Amino acid sequence: MMKTVKIFQRKYHLAELIAKITCCILLIYSILPHRFASHYDYIRPEDIPEALVNQVTTNISQQHMEECHYESIIEENRYMYIPQFSDEVLKPEEILPGGEYYPEDCRARYSTAIIVPYRQREQQLHKFLSYMHNYLRHQDIHYRIFLIEQYDQKPFNRAKLFNIGSMIAAEFEFPCLILHDVDLMPLNLGSLYACTQLPRHMCAALDMWRFHLPYRGLFGGVVAIRTQQYRTINGMSNMYEGWGGEDDDLFERLKSRNIDICRFAPHLNEYTMLRHKPEKKNENRVALLRSGALRFNTDGLNSLVYTEKDRRIHSLFTHILVQT
Amino acid sequence: MTTYDYIAVAQRAEEEESRTNPSTLCCEYIDREQQRFHILGICCNCVDLDSAFTSFITCQRVDASNRRNMLLTFQDRLRIPWRGGAKRISMEAIIPGAVYPLVLGLAALNEITSYIMLGSIVVFLGYGHQYVKRNHIKTKFFFMWLLWSVMYMIAGLQFAVPLLELLPEENLILVVMGCLSGYLLWLTRKHAFACHDLPSRTDDDLADITEATAAEEEEEAAAHTALLIDNDSPIRSQKTRSSSHQTNMCHVCRKYVSARTIHCHVCNACIMMQSHHSYWLDCCVGQYNMRFYNAGMIMGILTLLFGVYLTLTAICHPLLIGRIWNIPVTFPDDCSEVFNEYTLGLSYVLSLYAIIMIIYQFCNLLVQVLKCTRGPYFIIGDMSQPFSKFYKKLSA
């Protein structure tokens, strides 16, 4: 039996050689970057004003004032996550009924509908509304917060609530949609709540993931997308009940239409997540994701079936109660 | 005709040698009764076990010698395939591999068990280390415990820590630092034998032995006097030795040794400029490996610190301190939820164990620094004498 191997004028025992090769392979495998967080291309802070889409609703465009400037907001990137911003709304008289605001000393260049799917999270909702109103008014944009509450006992269908919210936002002629989770809050003021030409992933630096992006296909949490673009991709799928999968389905829809996504620089994208009990996971999400390509044109806005139970105009938000 | 005879004689001798002593395969071994066995026959031909079992069945008392032989047979049969014959596994190598994951697995259940189990590990290892140090016991237990600890920490980093939250650059830094510290500690073990002050067979040494046997009391007094002399370097001590002929003497090795050479009862050798016998590396730290030992300790502390930082900021809620070169620098803020998931609890417990290791290594390094007051050689050793002296002693 050949027990030794001669390599480069040196004799190695076969077992020793196999052990050394195995150690080298394991070492190389441990360095490979595919198991770790991803770096991503991003829009530089100086290019952000050009990348944003200047579109407002009709009533804002009719104002006769000088346009607002946003370069200093992006450059300064003020840290906003202070406790008093989450406790109560400062100067609530500036906010119009229905949770709408536009700046009075200059004309806003961006109009945004912030759509929040919601069910049974009162404590987070209170923190979210207080903080977001205190935060967004410093951005000098026109916005309105729509809270879409699922008013039944079925599993939570986040994507369907976004579809419903986008329909209602289209009624109000909002050109830009922010698909926002109720437990995510931006840390820095530079994350402008406006739409870019491409759909934008806003919470790419989440504190739950050490402010890194786990993988480039992640498109969840907070997403900014133009209303017309959202209609082009037929919205989101209505079949993802429970937690998980609908974000990746949205990403696949955009990819199938050759629509790329974009992100701001990491120091503008920092978000924090409020602590809560994990949701029940959707066991069918992998199967639904695999067959998603077959349903892009049939499952979405054109197959949306819901019953609007009530529509309430609160002082801080527009409340839509629906049955799915 | 003559060359043909020589070749035939050589071939015949080689055949006889191969017939009498065939080389053992990797699964065969020679047991303590000098018989050849295969590793698959581990349960066959065990006379002591049979007799003990027979005594047990027939309600007789098992002899003490029978019990001891049974245990010896059991230890003798624990083997793994190795080059040149199956290698025997000692209990010192198996026990850490079994106890360590069991203890940490129990510690990862909740917060109370983690403190209890880690505290008991510290107490047990501390008492064991003091016991073997006081009695000069030669054991590989602590070395194997260190190896198993490192292997389980690597496995925990690969499988329990959520790797999607770490950057590839951070992982690369950790791997490079880990390999560097491992290499330095391996160099420490490799150069440990070079520190042995081996007995040389020269005429001077024979004269020394003669004098020792002739006037033992006089030599003891001379040794005591020489120990009081505070020589700074072995070069000077060499000169002193050659001139006065009455320098330090090791009674165990029966030879004269240079200054700062201490006899290690575990290694059974005189160690030049010995600092201490490291049970964790199973070797003495002396003249030629002290710099590698200290560098390996420093690099080990840094590696463990970086690993603990990555692990805790990944499994706990991180607080953003700032950004350096656009890389977020975080600090673990709230670790109260790590025990809700078992893998995160295991990562947390491994991090706590790594913190204990960091503290222990830092204390040891502090001891080395305090020894520096006696002389700077306890930090970097002395590499001025070449290895040729070591090889000359070996060849002699």
Side-chain angles (χ1 to χ4, degrees):
Chain A
M1 187 193 299
M2 191 61 173
K3 286 187 178 178
T4 58
V5 180
K6 181 180 280 188
I7 296 176
F8 300 123
Q9 309 298 325
R10 286 183 62 187
K11 280 198 172 182
Y12 292 94
H13 196 270
L14 194 59
E16 187 181 346
L17 191 66
I18 288 172
K20 285 184 176 177
I21 290 173
T22 305
C23 285
C24 289
I25 289 171
L26 285 178
L27 192 66
I28 290 168
Y29 175 76
S30 68
I31 295 176
L32 292 179
H34 69 282
R35 297 181 298 152
F36 301 97
S38 301
H39 299 290
Y40 50 91
D41 302 326
Y42 52 85
I43 304 174
R44 291 178 301 165
E46 49 264 29
D47 298 332
I48 286 172
E50 301 169 24
L52 294 171
V53 177
N54 292 350
Q55 245 181 314
V56 288
T57 53
T58 309
N59 57 324
I60 301 297
S61 63
Q62 288 169 0
Q63 289 180 352
H64 300 292
M65 277 184 286
E66 191 183 345
E67 275 194 340
C68 300
H69 295 285
Y70 300 93
E71 287 83 2
S72 59
I73 294 174
I74 297 166
E75 189 178 346
E76 192 183 347
N77 197 34
R78 201 172 117 200
Y79 181 75
M80 300 292 285
Y81 194 65
I82 53 180
Q84 61 184 358
F85 274 15
S86 304
D87 292 340
E88 58 175 358
V89 183
L90 311 174
K91 301 184 207 170
E93 61 273 5
E94 295 179 356
I95 303 169
L96 302 178
E100 191 173 0
Y101 169 82
Y102 54 84
E104 292 175 351
D105 47 353
C106 59
R107 193 176 83 229
R109 275 202 269 169
Y110 316 109
S111 287
T112 300
I114 298 168
I115 302 169
V116 182
Y118 173 77
R119 184 163 74 172
Q120 294 168 8
R121 285 196 186 172
E122 290 83 9
Q123 189 180 357
Q124 289 183 1
L125 181 66
H126 171 72
K127 275 192 177 182
F128 175 80
L129 290 172
S130 303
Y131 182 77
M132 291 309 287
H133 278 297
N134 291 326
Y135 172 90
L136 288 167
R137 279 179 288 169
H138 284 89
Q139 286 194 344
D140 289 339
I141 60 171
H142 170 222
Y143 68 88
R144 185 174 183 139
I145 296 183
F146 295 89
L147 196 86
I148 319 296
E149 179 166 4
Q150 187 173 339
Y151 201 62
D152 54 26
Q153 300 304 314
K154 293 179 185 175
F156 190 65
N157 196 331
R158 179 175 171 267
K160 197 166 192 179
L161 299 184
F162 279 142
N163 286 343
I164 296 163
S166 71
M167 299 287 239
I168 294 169
E171 290 176 23
F172 285 80
E173 294 180 3
F174 276 98
C176 175
L177 308 171
I178 304 284
L179 314 179
H180 209 297
D181 279 351
V182 74
D183 54 352
L184 293 173
M185 297 190 307
L187 299 179
N188 301 317
L189 198 59
S191 180
L192 277 185
Y193 271 57
C195 280
T196 46
Q197 199 62 242
L198 301 171
R200 180 158 62 99
H201 183 215
M202 293 176 71
C203 68
L206 190 60
D207 64 349
M208 193 176 67
W209 291 315
R210 281 181 83 243
F211 301 98
H212 294 312
L213 187 71
Y215 51 98
R216 286 212 186 113
L218 183 68
F219 201 56
V222 185
V223 168
I225 185 169
R226 289 185 286 124
T227 310
Q228 186 55 47
Q229 219 163 31
Y230 195 75
R231 278 191 181 142
T232 303
I233 63 170
N234 198 19
M236 294 174 81
S237 174
N238 299 312
M239 297 178 67
Y240 287 84
E241 296 184 330
W243 183 92
E246 77 276 357
D247 300 340
D248 300 312
D249 187 270
L250 174 62
F251 185 72
E252 293 297 321
R253 282 169 182 245
L254 293 166
K255 207 199 297 185
S256 73
R257 300 274 182 167
N258 289 320
I259 299 174
D260 206 356
I261 65 171
C262 65
R263 296 179 174 98
F264 282 177
H267 64 285
L268 305 173
N269 277 332
E270 290 162 5
Y271 272 71
T272 183
M273 179 185 271
L274 299 175
R275 239 72 57 80
H276 56 83
K277 199 169 26 127
E279 296 278 344
K280 191 164 78 78
K281 286 184 164 69
N282 182 9
E283 289 92 4
N284 300 323
R285 65 187 189 276
V286 177
L288 283 171
L289 268 172
R290 286 210 189 99
S291 64
L294 307 174
R295 294 179 282 101
F296 285 164
N297 296 318
T298 58
D299 177 23
L301 285 178
N302 55 7
S303 69
L304 186 59
V305 176
Y306 70 98
T307 307
E308 185 176 326
K309 281 298 180 182
D310 202 354
R311 184 183 294 203
R312 302 170 186 168
I313 307 295
H314 289 282
S315 58
L316 295 181
F317 58 99
T318 305
H319 199 179
I320 317 289
L321 289 95
V322 297
Q323 260 188 2
T324 58
Chain B
M1 181 63 71
T2 56
T3 58
Y4 172 75
D5 286 340
Y6 289 154
I7 289 170
V9 168
Q11 284 178 355
R12 201 174 305 114
E14 188 176 354
E15 284 174 4
E16 285 180 4
E17 184 174 356
S18 65
R19 198 181 308 112
T20 54
N21 278 326
S23 64
T24 55
L25 299 176
C26 64
C27 286
E28 293 180 344
Y29 63 95
I30 299 174
D31 64 346
R32 55 195 180 86
E33 295 167 0
Q34 304 301 319
Q35 299 179 27
R36 289 171 61 89
F37 274 101
H38 197 274
I39 206 170
L40 291 179
I42 199 171
C43 298
C44 305
N45 202 359
C46 191
V47 179
D48 301 307
L49 200 62
D50 291 343
S51 57
F53 194 70
T54 305
S55 302
F56 177 74
I57 287 294
T58 56
C59 299
Q60 295 179 18
R61 197 162 176 275
V62 183
D63 291 338
S65 63
N66 200 348
R67 195 183 306 124
R68 184 176 63 252
N69 284 336
M70 188 172 62
L71 286 178
L72 283 174
T73 305
F74 173 71
Q75 283 195 38
D76 194 43
R77 303 241 169 139
L78 268 180
R79 288 173 185 266
I80 51 172
W82 206 259
R83 176 179 30 158
K87 193 182 179 70
R88 182 172 152 181
I89 309 168
S90 61
M91 300 305 290
E92 299 165 345
I94 295 174
I95 287 175
V99 168
Y100 185 85
L102 178 66
V103 170
L104 287 203
L106 286 176
L109 292 177
N110 54 55
E111 199 166 5
I112 299 173
T113 55
S114 70
Y115 291 141
I116 289 172
M117 289 299 167
L118 287 175
S120 53
I121 278 184
V122 170
V123 168
F124 166 73
L125 287 182
Y127 176 75
H129 193 266
Q130 285 298 317
Y131 179 80
V132 299
K133 189 195 283 187
R134 195 167 50 243
N135 293 275
H136 303 297
I137 295 172
K138 188 181 180 66
T139 177
K140 278 184 182 291
F141 176 82
F142 294 94
F143 180 59
M144 297 309 293
W145 183 278
L146 181 70
L147 279 193
W148 282 113
S149 299
V150 169
M151 276 195 277
Y152 278 119
M153 275 194 274
I154 290 172
L157 188 68
Q158 296 300 309
F159 297 112
V161 175
L163 295 178
L164 281 177
E165 305 184 14
L166 311 181
L167 286 174
E169 289 84 7
E170 289 167 339
N171 175 64
L172 183 63
I173 289 170
L174 188 64
V175 167
V176 167
M177 286 170 70
C179 291
L180 191 55
S181 63
Y183 178 67
L184 286 167
L185 294 178
W186 175 74
L187 277 184
T188 304
R189 273 178 59 91
K190 185 186 173 189
H191 289 94
F193 199 70
C195 303
H196 288 201
D197 200 351
L198 298 175
S200 57
R201 305 170 195 150
T202 56
D203 297 335
D204 296 337
D205 221 38
L206 287 176
D208 293 343
I209 291 172
T210 308
E211 286 190 19
T213 51
E216 191 168 357
E217 292 182 2
E218 186 180 351
E219 288 306 319
E220 282 185 5
H224 281 301
T225 309
L227 281 175
L228 294 177
I229 298 170
D230 190 12
N231 290 316
D232 287 332
S233 69
I235 299 175
R236 204 180 303 175
S237 72
Q238 289 284 333
K239 295 177 182 177
T240 314
R241 170 186 168 183
S242 61
S243 63
S244 69
H245 211 66
Q246 297 285 326
T247 51
N248 299 329
M249 181 182 175
C250 178
H251 296 275
V252 185
C253 300
R254 297 183 171 279
K255 60 186 287 296
Y256 289 112
V257 293
S258 56
R260 297 186 186 276
T261 300
I262 300 171
H263 184 84
C264 178
H265 297 277
V266 186
C267 300
N268 266 329
C270 288
I271 312 298
M272 287 185 283
M273 205 178 295
Q274 195 221 28
S275 165
H276 64 286
H277 181 89
S278 175
Y279 282 95
W280 301 101
L281 298 179
D282 198 37
C283 67
C284 266
V285 178
Q287 179 174 341
Y288 291 108
N289 62 349
M290 197 173 305
R291 57 178 63 197
F292 301 121
Y293 174 76
N294 289 322
M297 289 279 272
I298 291 169
M299 191 54 65
I301 287 173
L302 293 180
T303 304
L304 286 171
L305 268 177
F306 194 61
V308 164
Y309 161 74
L310 291 184
T311 303
L312 286 185
T313 50
I315 64 178
C316 306
H317 190 260
L319 181 70
L320 187 69
I321 294 175
R323 279 183 177 262
I324 299 176
W325 296 310
N326 212 18
I327 294 175
V329 176
T330 51
F331 195 76
D333 186 31
D334 183 9
C335 297
S336 58
E337 297 173 351
V338 293
F339 291 108
N340 293 338
E341 200 174 330
Y342 187 74
T343 51
L344 297 189
L346 200 59
S347 308
Y348 183 69
V349 164
L350 283 170
S351 300
L352 290 188
Y353 183 80
I355 287 171
I356 291 168
M357 279 178 73
I358 289 167
I359 292 168
Y360 182 73
Q361 279 181 278
F362 189 73
C363 292
N364 276 328
L365 262 184
L366 214 57
V367 168
Q368 294 290 112
V369 169
L370 288 179
K371 285 182 177 178
C372 189
T373 56
R374 285 198 266 154
Y377 303 101
F378 284 106
I379 298 298
I380 58 175
D382 188 359
M383 307 285 279
S384 58
Q385 299 189 23
F387 281 0
S388 58
K389 178 187 176 184
F390 163 60
Y391 290 123
K392 191 182 296 181
K393 286 182 176 179
L394 268 187
S395 61

